[in-house]
Amino acid sequence: MKRKHINIILVILALAIVFIIGKDFIGNKAGKNMDNPYKLDVDQFKKIDSTTVLYNEIKTFQVNDSSPKGIAVAGKQILVLTEKQLIRYDYSGKELSRFELPDTANCIAPVTKDQIWIGMLHSVASFDANGKLLTRWKNFDENSVITSLAVSGKTVYVADAGNRIVYQCNTNGEILSKIGEKNEQKGVPGYIIPSPCFDLALDDNGFLWVANTGRHSLENYNHDGSLRTAWGESSVKIDGFIGCCNPAQFAILPDNSFVTAEKGIPRIKLYDQHGVLQGIVAAPQLFDNGWYAPDLAIDVNQRILALDFDRKQVRIFEKNVNGNK
Amino acid sequence: MQDNSEPKNIERRRFIRNGMQLALAGTLVGVAALSVKKTRASGMVWQIDPFKCVQCGRCATECVRMPSAVKCVHAYNLCGYCDLCGGYLKPDPNARSTAAENQLCPTAAIQRRFIEDPFYEYVIDENLCIGCAKCVAGCTSFGNGSLHLQIRHNLCKNCNECAIARVCPAEAISRIPADKPYQIKGGFRKTPAKDKG
Ligand code: SF4
Ligand code: SF4
Ligand code: SF4
């Protein structure tokens, strides 16, 4: 009789526990699916018209490193810069070689004449095709964050996001001039760089373009540092730039049209040489999140190579039927 | 001679019954111990991992305190001090001004202060903040992610089971040691660290 009572009590307790756990489980599940009365609908800004997509992704491969930093093209090879190494791939994604870097790297210039220029944290270095160090200058201060480089003949342009300035240097590292300091007489508004997104590139005529990301504009400079022209608009609309620091990355095609990559709402777009939107290269839906805008490079066939920092992939885009119209 | 031994099948039945009773009692004791462990974590407090938070709004609606013990905090060292602040302004504002129709915060809890051209500082008035995470969503989507939510321990009752943690879809809320009660962005990092600018 006594044992029977114990059994009944145990069974009742077990049922009570099952009931409480079940109720808790169902309650939590329902709670986790509630609507958000304070939702900020960011997805509405990610919608695009599919007829405006001008490129298709034709090839993707994984980078064999956990900290990719930049991408460049050297003939038939793709160079991927990582924090500590430079890796060469062929277009199938096969790794061909890699070499160690002397310091933490941050950016790579488009490759000219087999000389590879790399921006480190506070220094700039150049290497030959085999990874032999040719030059290294350490003349930047501790506030410097070198985010982009471009080379034209004996001139090296260095974007320093930390000091919000572009240095025009010779190949020995002497600073010849500073470009972009606020100067009303030269029509220079000054850079607003809220985060280490500060890209630059040279157009076909050798003129410098700089992304003034806090102003959402691309600015074009004469060789004396005066402002030639600028374009770009702050807007959530597809032809504008939104967020604190966009376009975070850009590259210039041989016909002087622009490819821009944005963070926040991640997307890659194509603009003509006057800054008029031509269409979409890669829609926001192709990216996981908008923490980092992909670094960009253009190859000889005018394909667009994007280094996706989230997926750690090289993604290659080629013009589609819409793009070839 | 009398045979006192019980038939074998009765012995087996008793053995199974005793086993079941033991297992059931053991389970009950285990569940009770687990619940006690879960609800009594001395020296621990509830806190939000800002890197897991998906800005679902539950922190404003589910906290037993009204308004919520969750508040927006600002990691100034991460902020861009932008004029076009994604945490302060609606995504498509009429103007970059303090006009109420341009503000994202439903309670106007963020103050915008001009510092010097072109920089603005954004300060949270915790008395007005309800922890809705709308500004966090804006700053995360369009800015540097410097705005984020934290449970304020001067307001939190340190409930045995946090009402928000129960329903947080990102499981962003957990108990952490009371001697390090905050997980402020900037000092506290997501692992593995991501540093690409
Ligand atoms: S419930 Fe979780 S995901 Fe939602 S706002 Fe709070 S911490 Fe963020
Ligand atoms: S938007 Fe929400 S979380 Fe941000 S300050 Fe306003 S009330 Fe607080
Ligand atoms: S969006 Fe965020 S990072 Fe940018 S200014 Fe506003 S609060 Fe600062």
Side-chain angles (χ1 to χ4, degrees):
Chain A
M1 193 61 185
K2 207 175 156 201
R3 177 159 284 173
K4 204 176 165 193
H5 281 142
I6 292 172
N7 281 347
I8 290 168
I9 290 166
L10 282 175
V11 168
I12 290 171
L13 272 174
L15 285 174
I17 286 174
V18 167
F19 175 75
I20 290 165
I21 290 174
K23 195 171 159 247
D24 198 48
F25 179 74
I26 292 164
N28 286 356
K29 234 181 150 184
K32 286 181 184 182
N33 293 326
M34 281 187 303
D35 277 343
N36 178 6
Y38 303 103
K39 187 174 164 62
L40 174 65
D41 185 9
V42 177
D43 287 345
Q44 61 176 306
F45 306 115
K46 294 184 177 170
K47 288 183 191 141
I48 50 139
D49 170 2
S50 60
T51 61
T52 61
V53 178
L54 310 180
Y55 283 74
N56 286 343
E57 187 169 1
I58 55 158
K59 174 83 192 161
T60 303
F61 65 84
Q62 208 65 35
V63 173
N64 206 3
D65 193 285
S66 60
S67 56
K69 289 283 179 177
I71 189 166
V73 177
K76 291 183 176 162
Q77 294 175 2
I78 298 167
L79 308 184
V80 174
L81 179 74
T82 73
E83 223 171 67
K84 300 277 174 226
Q85 294 181 320
L86 188 84
I87 313 175
R88 283 176 185 275
Y89 292 97
D90 68 14
Y91 266 76
S92 72
K94 187 173 147 220
E95 184 178 324
L96 303 174
S97 64
R98 61 170 73 201
F99 67 80
E100 291 289 325
L101 299 167
D103 201 351
T104 306
N106 209 33
C107 59
I108 181 168
V111 177
T112 48
K113 291 188 196 151
D114 262 2
Q115 193 167 348
I116 301 162
W117 287 88
I118 290 174
M120 317 279 181
L121 218 48
H122 310 304
S123 65
V124 170
S126 77
F127 302 84
D128 73 8
N130 301 316
K132 187 176 155 227
L133 185 67
L134 300 176
T135 51
R136 185 164 180 208
W137 345 310
K138 294 184 178 176
N139 46 350
F140 301 103
D141 65 36
E142 59 177 27
N143 292 330
S144 297
V145 181
I146 309 294
T147 49
S148 187
L149 298 174
V151 185
S152 166
K154 296 208 174 306
T155 307
V156 183
Y157 294 95
V158 181
D160 178 351
N163 290 306
R164 302 182 174 97
I165 201 75
V166 171
Y167 301 107
Q168 187 183 17
C169 304
N170 62 22
T171 46
N172 298 323
E174 285 168 61
I175 296 174
L176 306 175
S177 68
K178 291 181 181 178
I179 297 173
E181 270 175 336
K182 189 173 178 177
N183 183 329
E184 281 169 17
Q185 279 173 346
K186 284 185 169 180
V188 180
Y191 298 126
I192 304 175
I193 308 298
S195 71
C197 299
F198 188 34
D199 203 3
L200 55 71
L202 298 171
D203 68 18
D204 202 36
N205 304 312
F207 285 109
L208 175 70
W209 285 85
V210 182
N212 195 344
T213 53
R215 294 190 195 275
H216 293 151
S217 67
L218 281 168
E219 296 175 354
N220 183 206
Y221 291 88
N222 287 308
H223 299 300
D224 68 356
S226 58
L227 191 69
R228 272 181 101 213
T229 180
W231 65 265
E233 198 195 340
S234 303
S235 165
V236 285
K237 299 199 183 78
I238 188 73
D239 55 352
F241 299 116
I242 189 181
C244 70
C245 349
N246 278 315
Q249 308 276 357
F250 75 101
I252 303 178
L253 284 153
D255 67 355
N256 285 334
S257 53
F258 297 86
V259 185
T260 61
E262 288 163 71
K263 59 183 277 212
I265 295 179
R267 56 193 181 190
I268 304 177
K269 299 185 291 194
L270 178 72
Y271 291 84
D272 75 6
Q273 54 184 305
H274 307 294
V276 177
L277 181 73
Q278 301 300 291
I280 310 295
V281 176
Q285 291 72 21
L286 293 187
F287 299 95
D288 294 340
N289 61 55
W291 277 87
Y292 310 96
D295 194 21
L296 300 171
I298 311 279
D299 75 5
V300 282
N301 297 316
Q302 302 193 28
R303 286 176 294 203
I304 295 163
L305 286 79
L307 180 62
D308 185 325
F309 296 112
D310 286 310
R311 297 187 187 179
K312 303 186 194 335
Q313 286 175 342
V314 172
R315 307 177 69 176
I316 304 174
F317 297 87
E318 188 175 66
K319 270 197 171 157
N320 63 19
V321 192
N322 292 335
N324 284 318
K325 262 183 206 162
Chain B
M1 210 163 104
Q2 201 181 344
D3 184 3
N4 282 337
S5 65
E6 288 174 349
K8 272 205 165 133
N9 55 347
I10 296 178
E11 230 175 85
R12 200 182 305 126
R13 216 178 294 150
R14 188 178 295 152
F15 175 77
I16 291 171
R17 198 174 55 209
N18 286 347
M20 278 176 68
Q21 277 176 348
L22 261 176
L24 197 54
T27 312
L28 288 175
V29 170
V31 168
L34 265 178
S35 320
V36 169
K37 192 168 174 255
K38 209 175 151 191
T39 52
R40 281 175 178 271
S42 63
M44 305 292 272
V45 289
W46 294 103
Q47 196 46 274
I48 300 169
D49 179 340
F51 293 104
K52 286 187 181 165
C53 172
V54 294
Q55 303 99 39
C56 71
R58 313 277 204 283
C59 282
T61 58
E62 301 305 306
C63 183
V64 296
R65 302 270 337 229
M66 198 52 74
S68 172
V70 175
K71 303 290 171 194
C72 177
V73 298
H74 200 174
Y76 288 102
N77 55 344
L78 294 181
C79 180
Y81 292 85
C82 315
D83 180 12
L84 184 64
C85 169
Y88 179 78
L89 295 166
K90 284 182 179 162
D92 206 3
N94 296 328
R96 295 178 199 178
S97 71
T98 53
E101 79 252 28
N102 294 325
Q103 290 188 35
L104 192 60
C105 176
T107 63
I110 309 179
Q111 290 164 14
R112 170 179 157 106
R113 295 179 188 159
F114 176 72
I115 304 178
E116 59 168 356
D117 185 40
F119 301 112
Y120 291 82
E121 185 181 57
Y122 297 93
V123 180
I124 311 297
D125 181 343
E126 289 198 358
N127 293 322
L128 295 178
C129 176
I130 55 169
C132 72
K134 204 167 181 181
C135 61
V136 180
C139 180
T140 306
S141 303
F142 303 120
N144 289 351
S146 56
L147 297 173
H148 57 288
L149 295 184
Q150 287 287 278
I151 295 172
R152 298 298 272 161
H153 295 300
N154 55 331
L155 303 170
C156 177
K157 288 168 161 274
N158 205 14
C159 308
N160 281 339
E161 197 183 4
C162 170
I164 316 167
R166 286 184 66 207
V167 292
C168 174
E171 295 182 5
I173 302 178
S174 62
R175 283 188 188 274
I176 62 167
D179 57 348
K180 283 190 187 129
Y182 290 99
Q183 296 190 322
I184 303 287
K185 270 188 170 182
F188 160 78
R189 304 196 66 132
K190 171 162 83 163
T191 44
K194 283 171 127 184
D195 275 328
K196 174 72 197 181

